[in-house]
Amino acid sequence: MQNAIAIRHVAFEDAGTLEGVLADRGIALTYLEAGVDDLGPAKDTDLLVVLGGPIGIYEIDRYPFIKDELATIEAAVKKNVPVIGICLGCQALAAVLAARVYPGKQKELGWDEMTLTKEGKASPLGAIEGVPVLNWHGDTFDLPQGATRLASTAITPNQAFTYGPNVLALQFHVELPQRDLEKWLIGHTLELSNSKVDLARMRAETARYAPAANEASRKLFNEWLDAANAS
């Protein structure tokens, strides 16, 4: 891999720790802004990253650009380009693979441990076993046919999956560096207020859990990229 493109939906939700992993491997990362930029270059990249955002992937009537974004992701998957989807990006991958995406029974906003499946423990996600990670989502999805479930929580059965060796979908956030939390608290202030999230607790738990989660994320991403390269 020599280059990577990340489709970004809001400026403060970037590739985080993954960007550092890619830089260490000599892979140049370029951001394309969803709804603004031409996504054409994403069809010729060595790695596609689809990041999070506060919209629903099913809201095509409100955000028509989603149709083009899904087509871009689908083209990458069909060409066997390695794709990592995080949060909204995870849901986009589920949609591209013909699974239903819909509002969950309740939002998950905060730090929690994933329950890994047997396949999850044997995968790069083994790096996060016993390590709390950050949930920040209201939507969920059905597991696509042919996909392998890697992780779940009591609220959200499908938290991560793979689809062959080149697709990794993560509903939760391991990529958020501890230093960037405040950007999210500012950017998502309305959602946090409406959900009555205790910001002091969020900050305290981030200070407690993010260092280990950030380190685990680098191991996770490096192992997955090694496997994708090998395939």
Side-chain angles (χ1 to χ4, degrees), residues 105-125:
K105 60 184 179 181
Q106 69 181 80
K107 289 189 176 186
E108 282 188 288
L109 287 167
W111 291 84
D112 194 8
E113 288 186 26
M114 293 293 116
T115 298
L116 301 183
T117 63
K118 180 179 68 174
E119 294 83 1
K121 292 178 180 179
S123 78
L125 263 70

Side-chain angles (χ1 to χ4, degrees), residues 159-204:
Q159 282 276 7
F161 68 85
T162 53
Y163 184 80
N166 288 329
V167 171
L168 176 65
L170 305 175
Q171 174 76 348
F172 51 88
H173 294 277
V174 293
E175 85 290 356
L176 173 62
Q178 179 182 354
R179 68 176 185 275
D180 287 349
L181 175 72
E182 208 65 29
K183 295 180 184 179
W184 288 42
L185 299 186
I186 297 167
H188 290 301
T189 182
L190 183 59
E191 178 184 24
L192 293 166
S193 178
N194 288 342
S195 299
K196 296 181 171 53
V197 172
D198 183 334
L199 298 191
R201 179 179 177 181
M202 177 74 80
R203 291 185 179 102

Side-chain angles (χ1 to χ4, degrees), residues 124-135:
L125 263 70
I128 65 164
E129 186 171 15
V131 178
V133 295
L134 183 62
N135 279 304

Side-chain angles (χ1 to χ4, degrees), residues 3-100:
N3 64 85
I5 284 179
I7 299 176
R8 181 166 56 184
H9 301 88
V10 286
F12 57 86
E13 289 199 36
D14 57 27
T17 59
L18 175 57
E19 185 169 351
V21 167
L22 294 176
D24 289 345
R25 298 169 78 100
I27 300 172
L29 178 66
T30 300
Y31 287 98
L32 296 179
E33 306 300 336
V36 177
D37 293 335
D38 174 16
L39 299 184
K43 297 175 182 177
D44 296 313
T45 188
D46 296 328
L47 170 69
L48 178 61
V49 181
V50 188
L51 297 168
I55 63 176
I57 205 65
Y58 44 77
E59 295 184 290
I60 295 178
D61 57 333
R62 301 185 66 196
Y63 302 98
F65 72 82
I66 293 174
K67 184 177 181 180
D68 181 45
E69 181 173 345
L70 291 175
T72 300
I73 297 167
E74 183 175 20
V77 171
K78 287 182 175 179
K79 287 175 62 178
N80 290 319
V81 172
V83 182
I84 299 175
I86 299 174
C87 199
L88 181 64
C90 171
Q91 296 155 17
L93 279 167
V96 161
L97 296 170
R100 185 171 65 107

